[in-house]
Amino acid sequence: MSGGGNNNVVNKVFYATSYHPIQAGSIDGTDVAPHDNGVRRALLCYNAGLYDPCGDSKAAGDPYCTLFVGRISHLTTEETLREAMSRYGKVKSLRLVRHIVTGASRGYAFVEYETEKEMRRAYEDAHHSFIDGREIIVDYNRQQLMPGWIPRRLGGGLGGRKESGQLRFGGRDRPFRAPLRPIPHEDLKKLGIQLPPEGRYMSRTQIPSSPRRKGRVSDREEANYMEREEEFEEQRSHSRRERSDHGHRRRSKDREERYKVESRSDREERSRGREGRYGDDKEEVSVSKRSDHEEEERSRKRHKHRRSHHHRRRSSSPDIYSSD
């Protein structure tokens, strides 16, 4: 056995990545024997495989997007909880666990978000926040993501209150303390218990990371990928602009070369053609004006002829208003 007690590990902690009932009942994760009846009951279920974490039909949804919310007030409703948890992302589904007979709230719930990013935001920011005057705790969905998990009703679980006399350690609310006594490595290995991460303990202010989906890139890798994509897009845009400018310059140069190779006679002939076209237009305009003038003159003569004819007819007719 090696010693683990020194001043460098005081106030240091570590967290369980897999569940073992004996270790969960130990304050520093180094116990090798159960110390209460709850641990013995959980150990029996653990060894016999009596608990199936996937057997709960109500545990639907994506476990990597689901958050456990505990220590909820018994007066808190689904609507109030949804409103409070929606501050961290879009809530896809919510299940407030209730007593099967009375229907009263059991004080904990499972909240599923649309994305893992939103779940991690709530995992980091909602811990120790207040809903209806009660301080809540949040954790990832250990029921489906933590190997070897045994629920509280079977003597397992994590956390708990001192009054119950059955505290469970290794979780976010009650992490393992860094051992100050020698660590029984061989005994822990025989029981299949996770060894304390000597030299890699954390402080209480650090947030333990939640499990990530296998094959998924990290946030840093995703950010680097987006930066590279932006650089590539900028390069492609620059290349398109260069090709466009090059094409414009080439067309301008072609026009200049065509203008240079044209002979002087061709330009003069084109110039004469424009003058002839303008001359024809002037002639057409003058003919049109002359036609309009002739038509107006004919109309004036016809009108004068009608007036004279009407005057002659009135002169030859008798005056019906004259006296005898």
Side-chain angles (χ1 to χ4, degrees):
M1 294 188 299
S2 63
N6 56 65
N7 294 330
N8 294 330
V9 298
V10 176
N11 295 326
K12 296 291 185 177
V13 298
F14 69 100
Y15 299 86
T17 57
S18 61
Y19 193 86
H20 195 285
I22 295 178
Q23 186 184 36
S26 172
I27 192 171
D28 60 1
T30 60
D31 285 2
V32 294
H35 67 273
D36 64 48
N37 292 330
V39 173
R40 294 185 181 92
R41 187 169 69 253
L43 184 61
L44 176 63
C45 296
Y46 180 87
N47 292 330
L50 299 179
Y51 176 71
D52 180 13
C54 299
D56 188 359
S57 59
K58 296 180 180 179
D62 188 350
Y64 290 94
C65 298
T66 303
L67 197 70
F68 168 83
V69 184
R71 297 185 184 174
I72 302 173
S73 171
H74 293 282
L75 301 178
T76 300
T77 62
E78 284 85 349
E79 292 75 15
T80 304
L81 183 60
R82 180 183 292 272
E83 181 181 358
M85 301 308 294
S86 295
R87 293 197 296 264
Y88 310 102
K90 187 176 181 180
V91 176
K92 184 177 181 180
S93 64
L94 183 146
R95 180 167 67 97
L96 181 62
V97 180
R98 296 182 176 276
H99 194 278
I100 192 172
V101 177
T102 64
S105 171
R106 299 291 298 271
Y108 65 96
F110 295 92
V111 181
E112 182 186 5
Y113 286 93
E114 290 284 348
T115 63
E116 291 184 47
K117 186 176 182 180
E118 292 171 323
M119 188 281 290
R120 290 197 300 273
R121 184 186 301 125
Y123 174 78
E124 295 174 0
D125 298 340
H127 193 51
H128 291 310
S129 61
F130 287 84
I131 300 178
D132 287 340
R134 287 285 297 272
E135 185 179 14
I136 64 170
I137 60 172
V138 299
D139 206 345
Y140 68 87
N141 188 2
R142 294 180 182 268
Q143 175 181 344
Q144 294 177 287
L145 298 180
M146 191 174 196
W149 175 256
I150 299 295
R152 189 71 179 182
R153 67 177 183 272
L154 298 178
L158 293 173
R161 298 185 180 277
K162 293 181 179 180
E163 295 80 6
S164 66
Q166 294 185 356
L167 295 178
R168 299 293 181 262
F169 300 89
R172 190 175 182 186
D173 190 48
R174 291 187 181 275
F176 295 122
R177 296 180 185 177
L180 299 178
R181 59 182 178 177
I183 301 173
H185 290 86
E186 297 300 327
D187 294 336
L188 294 177
K189 289 180 181 179
K190 289 179 181 179
L191 293 172
I193 295 177
Q194 168 194 356
L195 296 176
E198 298 176 83
R200 293 180 289 110
Y201 298 116
M202 302 173 63
S203 68
R204 284 187 172 273
T205 57
Q206 291 178 281
I207 300 175
S209 60
S210 60
R212 293 177 179 269
R213 200 186 306 272
K214 292 182 179 180
R216 187 187 182 281
V217 297
S218 63
D219 292 342
R220 184 180 296 276
E221 291 174 344
E222 186 175 355
N224 293 336
Y225 173 78
M226 295 302 295
E227 289 179 1
R228 290 195 299 270
E229 281 295 311
E230 291 177 359
E231 291 177 359
F232 292 154
E233 182 61 29
E234 186 176 355
Q235 292 176 1
R236 287 193 290 267
S237 300
H238 183 67
S239 299
R240 286 195 294 268
R241 287 195 299 269
E242 285 186 345
R243 287 197 297 269
S244 178
D245 295 341
H246 177 70
H248 179 71
R249 288 194 299 269
R250 186 175 60 187
R251 288 191 295 271
S252 300
K253 187 176 181 180
D254 292 343
R255 285 196 296 269
E256 292 177 359
E257 291 179 353
R258 285 198 300 271
Y259 183 78
K260 289 179 181 179
V261 299
E262 284 183 342
S263 63
R264 183 175 181 180
S265 59
D266 293 338
R267 291 196 294 272
E268 290 177 354
E269 183 178 353
R270 189 165 57 251
S271 178
R272 285 196 299 271
R274 285 197 296 269
E275 291 177 357
R277 186 168 64 252
Y278 296 152
D280 294 341
D281 293 342
K282 291 179 180 179
E283 185 177 354
E284 291 177 0
V285 171
S286 62
V287 171
S288 176
K289 287 183 177 180
R290 188 166 57 251
S291 300
D292 293 342
H293 179 71
E294 292 176 356
E295 181 66 26
E296 184 180 354
E297 184 67 22
R298 285 195 296 270
S299 177
R300 187 175 60 81
K301 288 181 179 180
R302 284 196 300 270
H303 184 66
K304 184 177 180 180
H305 177 72
R306 289 195 194 97
R307 289 182 61 186
S308 61
H309 179 70
H310 181 69
H311 181 69
R312 286 196 300 272
R313 288 185 62 186
R314 286 180 60 87
S315 300
S316 60
S317 62
D319 189 0
I320 60 176
Y321 296 104
S322 61
S323 58
D324 293 336

